[in-house]
Every structure is written in C-alpha cells, then in structure tokens.
C-alpha cells in the first residue's frame, strides 16, 4: 500500500522568506512523486514531479523539490515566497507500475506581506 | 484546450435522490479517476478506470457507481445521496507512463 504524510496543516511565512512544505511517503516499489497546488474554489494544478534521476527537481512558479530516498521525503521549497503563493498544497505518490495516486491531507500556505 | 471538463459545478441534492456527475476529457487519456476532497483528508480515490470497459474500486467506493463506455467519458453516479456524500468531487485523467494527472475544476455537492 502507498501513503503520503504532510505533517503540517499550516505554514506561515513572510513574503521574501524561504518556504518549505514537508512531505514523506511510503510505497512498496519505486515512487513517482508529485506536488499540486489548489487555489480557492479551483481545481488542482500540477507543480512538479520526481520520476528518476536528479534528486532536485525544478517546477513551475519558481518551486523546487528535493527527493531524499533514505528519509522517504519529497519536500517542496521556494527560495523567496510571494503573497500569491498562498494556497493549499498537496503531495502525491504513485507506486511503480500503478496508475493510482495517493494524496496527503494538504498543507495550507499563507504568505503575509 | 478543454482538458478535463466536469459538470455541473455546483449541485444541491435531497437525501435519497440520485444523480450523475459528468466528466469528459479530450486528451485521449487511458486512465481516469474520481476523487472526493474533504477538509483535512486530502483527496480520496473513489473509482478509477484504466480504459474503456474497465473500472475498479478505489479507497471509498461505497454509494457510488461508475462506467466507462468510451475513452472520453467517465460519469460518477450517486445511487441514493446521503449527507456524508457532501463533498467536492474531482475527476482526473492521465496517459500511460510517468506523467502527471490532469484535474477538472471540481463539482461541489451538498446533500441536505
């Protein structure tokens, strides 16, 4: 079985400061890892993914994520947060050979001006 | 580009009523799925399909039916609505391989 944990319900940062959203996962095989963002009353937008290769993955809107196999983590990062980054962020995992996505509970990010 | 289209966007049902949530994609994706989103619980998989004529249950299938007669469409049927089915429902599709899933804009369902 596969699962995702996002240990923080909320993350609050000041604009211009670094932003980190944490994610740990569990799969039986090799993981495919994803980050999505959801703005109020909208669907999920894809940010970035890790399939294989470089542990540091770059995505949309200046976000990046670091895959750490030994810690089974895939934390989302942004060096300098913007007020417009305020949203709900979801980490998701797929096991190798499976289509099904498992999502974390989500982390609400608030960036204050 | 239409992508994944869900209808309706909002719906209010009375307990015991039935309805169908529509989902259509124009990207010729093999895999389609339905999720429900509830506060603090993330997205939970209801049903999924790996191609026309093939469906299977996800994590929370009770009270829902699906069918996949074409590649494009994957409707979700609520047989007898219950207040516990009040939620936001998302349809998603993806091609084979390592790509991400594409999501519709969601249907907000309230059962009173």
């Amino acid at each position: 079985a596969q699962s995702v944990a996002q240990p923080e319900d909320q993350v609050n940062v000041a604009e211009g400061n670094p932003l980190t959203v944490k994610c740990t996962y569990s799969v039986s095989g090799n993981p495919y890892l994803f980050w999505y963002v959801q703005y109020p009353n909208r669907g999920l937008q894809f940010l970035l993914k890790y399939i294989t290769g470089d542990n540091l993955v770059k995505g949309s809107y200046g976000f990046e994520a670091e895959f750490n196999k030994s810690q089974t983590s895939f934390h989302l990062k942004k060096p300098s947060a913007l007020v417009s980054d305020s949203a709900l962020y979801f980490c998701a995992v797929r096991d190798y050979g499976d289509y099904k996505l498992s999502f974390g509970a989500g982390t609400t990010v608030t960036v204050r001006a | 580009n239409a992508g994944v289209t869900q209808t309706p966007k909002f719906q209010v049902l009375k307990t015991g009523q039935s309805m169908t949530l529509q989902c259509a994609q124009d990207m010729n994706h093999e895999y389609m799925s339905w999720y429900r989103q509830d506060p603090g619980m993330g997205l939970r998989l209801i049903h999924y399909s790996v191609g026309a004529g093939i469906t299977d249950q996800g994590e929370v299938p009770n009270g829902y039916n699906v069918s996949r007669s074409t590649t494009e469409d994957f409707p979700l049927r609520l047989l007898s609505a219950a207040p516990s089915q009040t939620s936001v429902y998302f349809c998603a599709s993806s091609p084979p391989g390592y790509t991400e899933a594409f999501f519709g804009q969601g249907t907000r369902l309230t059962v009173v």
Side-chain angles (χ1 to χ4, degrees):
Chain A
Q2 56 195 40
S3 65
V4 174
Q6 293 182 242
E8 300 159 318
D9 292 337
Q10 291 200 345
V11 170
N12 299 306
V13 298
E15 190 172 35
N17 281 1
L19 169 63
T20 299
V21 186
K22 295 179 180 176
C23 170
T24 59
Y25 66 90
S26 173
V27 295
S28 55
N30 290 324
Y32 298 153
L33 293 154
F34 304 85
W35 276 101
Y36 287 86
V37 61
Q38 185 181 34
Y39 297 99
N41 301 314
R42 302 293 300 274
L44 275 72
Q45 296 180 28
F46 169 74
L47 278 179
L48 51 79
K49 65 185 176 188
Y50 172 82
I51 303 299
T52 187
D54 245 345
N55 289 344
L56 185 64
V57 178
K58 293 189 183 298
S60 307
Y61 313 119
F63 283 94
E64 58 189 28
E66 187 166 11
F67 171 66
N68 187 317
K69 188 172 183 178
S70 63
Q71 297 186 2
T72 61
S73 67
F74 189 55
H75 301 330
L76 181 70
K77 300 180 181 183
K78 187 170 185 180
S80 178
L82 301 172
V83 172
S84 57
D85 293 329
S86 298
L88 180 58
Y89 290 80
F90 289 103
C91 182
V93 67
R94 274 174 50 194
D95 205 343
Y96 176 79
D98 196 347
Y99 279 109
K100 298 190 296 293
L101 269 176
S102 295
F103 284 84
T107 300
T108 299
V109 171
T110 302
V111 182
R112 60 186 184 277
Chain B
N1 295 334
V4 179
T5 302
Q6 290 183 236
T7 55
K9 287 187 169 50
F10 302 94
Q11 183 70 49
V12 179
L13 286 180
K14 294 182 178 179
T15 296
Q17 285 184 317
S18 62
M19 81 159 293
T20 299
L21 279 62
Q22 301 291 345
C23 176
Q25 53 95 2
D26 62 358
M27 298 173 282
N28 202 32
H29 288 169
E30 292 183 1
Y31 183 74
M32 296 185 73
S33 52
W34 277 101
Y35 292 85
R36 59 177 288 172
Q37 182 182 13
D38 301 293
M41 303 188 75
L43 277 76
R44 292 180 292 168
L45 182 64
I46 304 171
H47 284 285
Y48 65 97
S49 168
V50 298
I54 306 169
T55 63
D56 206 346
Q57 296 181 350
E59 187 183 349
V60 288
N62 292 341
Y64 308 95
N65 272 0
V66 291
S67 59
R68 184 97 178 268
S69 56
T70 66
T71 299
E72 294 77 20
D73 299 300
F74 190 45
L76 178 72
R77 282 183 285 277
L78 279 71
L79 308 173
S80 177
S84 61
Q85 294 177 304
T86 293
S87 188
V88 181
Y89 291 84
F90 287 100
C91 179
S93 74
S94 58
Y98 315 129
T99 62
E100 65 277 14
F102 296 79
F103 284 81
Q105 291 299 297
T107 296
R108 186 174 294 274
L109 176 67
T110 302
V111 183
V112 297

